Amino acid sequence: MFAKMLTDHARMRELADRLEALLRLSEPCDMALLADIRWQLASTIMRHLAFEDRHLYCPMANHRDAAIAQTGRRFQDEQRGIFARYAEHAQHWTPDHVSRDWNGYRSAALAFLPILRRRMEIEELRLYPMAQEAGIDVEATVLTENNWARDAFAIKAKVGKGMI
């Protein structure tokens, strides 16, 4: 399961790099290509968050070792906060809004990408090794408080497939 999480991270980095290349253009890019990359990145992020929550964060938050449980809860809370900011960004930047304010969208999206990259780096350097050392069973599925599917559909309904 750690391999799957690392594979997801690699995919998110690839898509973030592709998105960033488009965002570095001073003139609006091909909006269909932008929509496709945004949707691929958004759907990968949402699927990954749900997976990580069920297989990593919740098991860590419920661990018998208080330090591991505290770390799991902290990472879980941080994840929720980052996702909330991302959802707000996605709902704000509708296809029409992106078309009307390319430079505003570029700035907003370029500000989010380092947050995504830093989060993956911290998980890989600190959280995953801690979970492995603690013997967290990432093969098990734990119920979570978050309804990631509901949140994903809410974003999709607001902005439409492709423009997340």
Side-chain angles (χ1 to χ4, degrees), residues 112-164:
F112 179 75
L113 293 175
I115 295 167
L116 174 67
R117 289 181 176 121
R118 180 68 182 142
R119 178 60 179 211
M120 291 184 290
E121 180 182 345
I122 290 170
E123 287 179 349
E124 291 169 7
L125 293 175
R126 294 187 50 225
L127 193 67
Y128 294 0
M130 176 187 274
Q132 288 174 316
E133 288 173 20
I136 300 295
D137 181 8
V138 294
E139 299 291 328
T141 299
V142 177
L143 292 178
T144 173
E145 297 172 15
N146 296 312
N147 184 339
W148 296 104
R150 179 198 62 223
D151 295 336
F153 282 113
I155 292 171
K156 186 176 177 183
K158 174 70 175 167
V159 300
K161 180 182 182 245
M163 287 309 291
I164 293 179

Side-chain angles (χ1 to χ4, degrees), residues 25-81:
L25 301 172
S26 58
E27 296 297 318
C29 64
D30 177 331
M31 288 295 156
L33 178 60
L34 177 65
D36 182 55
I37 292 170
R38 288 180 78 193
W39 176 246
Q40 288 182 59
L41 180 59
S43 60
T44 302
I45 288 170
M46 288 181 284
R47 181 180 41 76
H48 179 75
L49 291 178
F51 185 87
E52 238 178 15
D53 204 21
R54 282 189 314 269
H55 295 278
L56 181 64
Y57 291 120
C58 285
M60 286 187 77
N62 294 315
H63 198 272
R64 67 188 174 283
D65 181 298
I68 292 168
Q70 180 181 23
T71 300
R73 283 190 297 276
R74 183 174 45 98
F75 269 81
Q76 192 175 43
D77 289 344
E78 289 170 359
Q79 175 192 44
R80 288 180 187 132

